[in-house]
Amino acid sequence: IEKFKSLKNEGNDFVKMGKYEEAANKYSECMKLNTEECTVYTNRALCYLKLYKYEEAKRDCDHVLQIEDSNVKAFYRRALAYKGLQVRKRNMAGI
């Protein structure tokens, strides 16, 4: 549990510094220790959104919503992921 908290806090610190790739890696390490903790998934989804990795963000939010079907952050971030995917699709169609 201590290792998990420590990794999560490191991830949170990276987010505050705008280092989203590093933060996502810390949250991924957290998931190896606990797959049921929804906050690390919504946090990693935030990182993926900042990195324009919309499919990955959507996947994390889907996972959270299977565990907590009323998680507001997961709904919101999944909506942002869908929006990003739509914009990308539209841009690809224009090429």
Side-chain angles (χ1 to χ4, degrees):
I1 294 173
E2 279 308 305
K3 176 98 173 120
F4 178 87
K5 281 183 184 172
S6 164
L7 286 168
K8 185 179 169 191
N9 288 334
E10 285 177 47
N12 294 344
D13 290 339
F14 278 129
V15 167
K16 288 173 193 158
M17 291 186 276
K19 296 183 176 181
Y20 300 110
E21 194 73 53
E22 292 89 337
N25 292 336
K26 292 294 175 187
Y27 296 135
S28 296
E29 287 181 51
C30 285
M31 290 164 193
K32 291 174 188 164
L33 302 174
N34 181 351
T35 58
E36 298 295 306
E37 178 60 50
C38 290
T39 39
V40 290
Y41 285 91
T42 54
N43 289 359
R44 188 172 74 171
L46 169 73
C47 296
Y48 285 150
L49 288 169
K50 297 286 188 184
L51 296 166
Y52 308 105
K53 295 182 176 182
Y54 301 117
E55 196 58 54
E56 292 89 336
K58 185 181 110 39
R59 200 174 313 127
D60 278 354
C61 293
D62 287 342
H63 178 82
V64 170
L65 292 168
Q66 286 175 348
I67 300 168
E68 288 180 14
D69 61 2
S70 60
N71 187 302
V72 176
K73 270 188 185 172
F75 272 117
Y76 178 67
R77 291 184 179 155
R78 186 170 70 174
L80 292 176
Y82 275 123
K83 185 177 175 189
L85 288 167
Q86 288 303 109
V87 169
R88 182 176 292 159
K89 216 179 284 176
R90 238 178 280 132
N91 290 342
M92 293 301 240
I95 293 174

